[in-house]
Amino acid sequence: MYILGISAFYHDSAACLLKDGEIIAAVQEERFTRKKHDASFPCHAIKYCIDEAKIAPNQIDHVVFYEKPFIKFERLLETYLAYAPKGFINFTKAMPLWIKDKLFQKSSIIKELESTIDKNIFWREKLLFSEHHLSHAASAFYPSPFEKAAVLTIDGVGEWTTASLALGNKNDLKVLKEIHFPHSLGLLYSAFTYYTGFKVNSGEYKLMGLAPYGKPIYADLILEKLITVADDGSFQLDMSYFDYASGLTMTNKKFNKLFGGPPRSPEKKLTQRDMDLAASIQKVTENIVIKLAKSIAKETGAKNLCLAGGVALNCVANGSLSRKKIFDKIWIQPAAGDAGGALGAALCVWHLYKEKKRNILPEDSMKGAYLGPEFSNEQIESELKLCKAVYSKLSNKELIDQVVNALCNKNAIGWMQGRMEFGPRAL
């Protein structure tokens, strides 16, 4: 049985293909289009997955999308109604686009599949939908080496959910608790990403990288004014400081006043204040993740923890959590963001919809995350000639000697070998 998983239309679109539950291929669309965080329908990624499996398109048994577009549209609509009349002008401008993209997304996906793969296949019968955070949870638990584990997912927002606790046992996975929009740790972090002059859904890693250069002098202010955190780690935002629910920006004038000025323009030089803001939101994020983990361990008795969702890309918070030894072992989905949702959705169909047993491997079943395309020497040389590059072709011994000499001289090495990794970085 072949199951094709797809994530698309928000950021980091991707495709994944399973063969009888085994991950054959998984790759982000950006790797082909060279558009960072490409959100478009993953045409190239899908074609690659089919080619890698060496199958005909009609051999695909199911196609599954990583979230439920109609519920997402419902959230957008209900949120604007809840905040009305605030944001009404933005609402009227955005509504035609939302109706096209969200309300009729099923038809859009079918059309894309017809044009990308084969128009003669009746895709409507094969198409299924998962839930956003269930896809995240599945991407974390099913490939993990654990028979049983608690699963924590935290991101900006899926349909309604911004954080969830699930419990995995063999091939079963159940979501036990959720925190709902607009209260979101991911969106709080993104608000500071925006405020310090970086791009939302792209620059969060820069904010994390900036944090060590600052001091968390604003952490207490954040906890006093912006977010209320309960003993179990659950949280609630004071939405009077944010505009993301009804406007076109993450923060507002009240937020600006609290931190002493408007957001940094991207072209302006970074200051110590920006570094201190980064250190502060990083500390708050780490403390909330640790509180959630402690509560989960106490409530579930689980010895293992799996993580996914955009906030699980915060490897500094992951490191802090690991050092606390709250769980015996932690396993993190390498493609923790929306790209991994394609994998999780496919695994949901195999294990939950089809009720198939897991094949639990001692390390994990991600194959080291080497799930993308690879290139032969002949392909590489052909491409180099095509773009008239200056290059040398070395024997293995010459290559090793040159690399060793370069490293001894404290130079950096770019080394490409084998299949491309799925996900943005090692976690």
Side-chain angles (χ1 to χ4, degrees):
M1 181 181 289
Y2 290 95
I3 300 168
L4 177 68
I6 297 170
S7 63
F9 305 133
Y10 187 45
H11 59 87
D12 296 296
S13 67
C16 165
L17 190 68
L18 303 184
K19 177 187 178 182
D20 294 333
E22 180 190 354
I23 307 167
I24 300 299
V27 66
Q28 295 109 297
E29 185 69 3
E30 67 170 22
R31 305 299 167 88
F32 302 96
T33 63
R34 302 180 66 82
K35 295 176 185 174
K36 197 171 183 181
H37 305 295
D38 195 344
S40 61
F41 190 80
C43 305
H44 301 88
I46 290 170
K47 286 175 182 175
Y48 158 71
C49 288
I50 292 170
D51 289 343
E52 181 65 27
K54 297 179 174 61
I55 60 170
N58 62 7
Q59 288 178 263
I60 296 171
D61 296 276
H62 296 288
V63 179
V64 55
F65 193 68
Y66 80 125
E67 64 180 8
K68 295 188 174 178
F70 191 81
I71 299 175
K72 198 164 191 174
F73 176 76
E74 175 189 77
R75 189 251 302 168
L76 294 166
L77 193 60
E78 285 190 25
T79 299
Y80 264 102
L81 288 172
Y83 282 85
K86 187 181 177 183
F88 180 73
I89 293 172
N90 292 334
F91 171 76
T92 56
K93 287 179 180 177
M95 185 50 63
L97 185 64
W98 285 346
I99 289 172
K100 176 179 175 287
D101 287 348
K102 301 289 188 291
L103 198 56
F104 301 109
Q105 209 163 74
K106 184 176 181 178
S107 298
S108 299
I109 293 167
I110 291 165
K111 284 179 183 176
E112 292 283 6
L113 288 168
E114 287 174 345
S115 62
T116 301
I117 309 176
D118 192 326
K119 64 181 179 181
N120 297 313
I121 297 171
F122 196 54
W123 295 109
R124 190 174 293 274
E125 284 188 347
K126 296 175 184 278
L127 185 60
L128 299 168
F129 292 85
S130 180
E131 290 182 350
H132 188 104
H133 272 258
L134 181 61
S135 296
H136 276 321
S139 78
F141 175 62
Y142 288 126
S144 80
F146 310 138
E147 185 175 295
K148 295 180 181 179
V151 188
L152 176 61
T153 69
I154 314 172
D155 66 2
V157 60
E159 293 89 356
W160 278 102
T161 308
T162 63
S164 77
L165 163 62
L167 210 54
N169 184 2
K170 296 179 182 175
N171 70 309
D172 190 38
L173 182 65
K174 285 187 173 68
V175 177
L176 305 179
K177 285 185 174 181
E178 295 179 337
I179 295 173
H180 286 176
F181 184 86
H183 309 292
S184 168
L185 184 59
L187 290 175
L188 175 65
Y189 202 90
S190 290
F192 279 87
T193 301
Y194 165 81
Y195 188 69
T196 50
F198 302 115
K199 192 176 179 182
V200 173
N201 290 331
S202 173
E204 281 78 7
Y205 77 96
K206 294 180 182 178
L207 189 68
M208 181 182 69
L210 194 64
Y213 298 95
K215 294 180 179 178
I217 59 175
Y218 298 103
D220 289 342
L221 186 61
I222 292 169
L223 291 167
E224 181 189 341
K225 298 291 186 181
L226 300 186
I227 186 167
T228 302
V229 186
D231 291 340
D232 66 355
S234 59
F235 48 84
Q236 192 167 11
L237 299 185
D238 183 341
M239 291 306 297
S240 66
Y241 290 93
F242 305 94
D243 260 10
Y244 62 76
S246 59
L248 296 176
T249 59
M250 294 300 296
T251 60
N252 58 26
K253 289 179 181 177
K254 189 176 179 181
F255 189 103
N256 298 350
K257 187 178 178 182
L258 183 66
F259 293 104
R264 181 183 77 90
S265 299
E267 68 276 2
K268 280 190 178 179
K269 189 178 179 180
L270 285 161
T271 64
Q272 189 60 48
R273 174 173 163 271
D274 299 313
M275 297 172 198
D276 292 340
L277 284 164
S280 301
I281 189 58
Q282 181 64 33
K283 182 182 178 182
V284 169
T285 300
E286 288 176 28
N287 288 346
I288 291 172
V289 169
I290 289 165
K291 265 193 171 184
L292 283 165
K294 284 180 177 177
S295 171
I296 289 166
K298 185 179 178 182
E299 184 178 337
T300 66
K303 301 298 181 187
N304 304 310
L305 179 69
C306 299
L307 292 171
V311 175
L313 291 171
N314 193 311
C315 46
V316 179
N318 295 344
S320 181
L321 175 60
S322 179
R323 288 189 294 273
K324 291 290 180 182
K325 302 292 182 184
I326 300 164
F327 292 88
D328 292 349
K329 291 183 179 179
I330 297 174
W331 192 87
I332 305 157
Q333 168 53 240
D338 278 13
L343 169 61
L347 289 167
C348 279
V349 173
W350 179 249
H351 293 296
L352 297 178
Y353 184 65
K354 293 292 179 182
E355 299 181 337
K356 301 291 186 180
K357 288 184 179 180
R358 289 172 67 204
N359 179 24
I360 303 168
L361 301 179
E363 295 298 326
D364 59 44
S365 60
M366 290 286 292
K367 301 177 183 177
Y370 298 120
L371 298 165
E374 61 183 335
F375 306 94
S376 66
N377 275 343
E378 292 72 27
Q379 286 174 297
I380 293 166
E381 191 165 15
S382 173
E383 195 69 28
L384 290 170
K385 284 178 178 175
L386 197 65
C387 65
K388 297 179 181 177
V390 177
Y391 68 93
S392 301
K393 191 174 180 180
L394 308 175
S395 68
N396 282 346
K397 186 182 182 307
E398 289 170 327
L399 177 64
I400 296 299
D401 287 344
Q402 284 205 19
V403 169
V404 169
N405 289 333
L407 290 173
C408 288
N409 291 322
K410 299 182 179 180
N411 292 319
I413 300 297
W415 186 288
M416 186 184 84
Q417 181 176 271
R419 294 179 73 178
M420 190 181 290
E421 292 175 337
F422 186 45
R425 57 187 177 273
L427 296 172

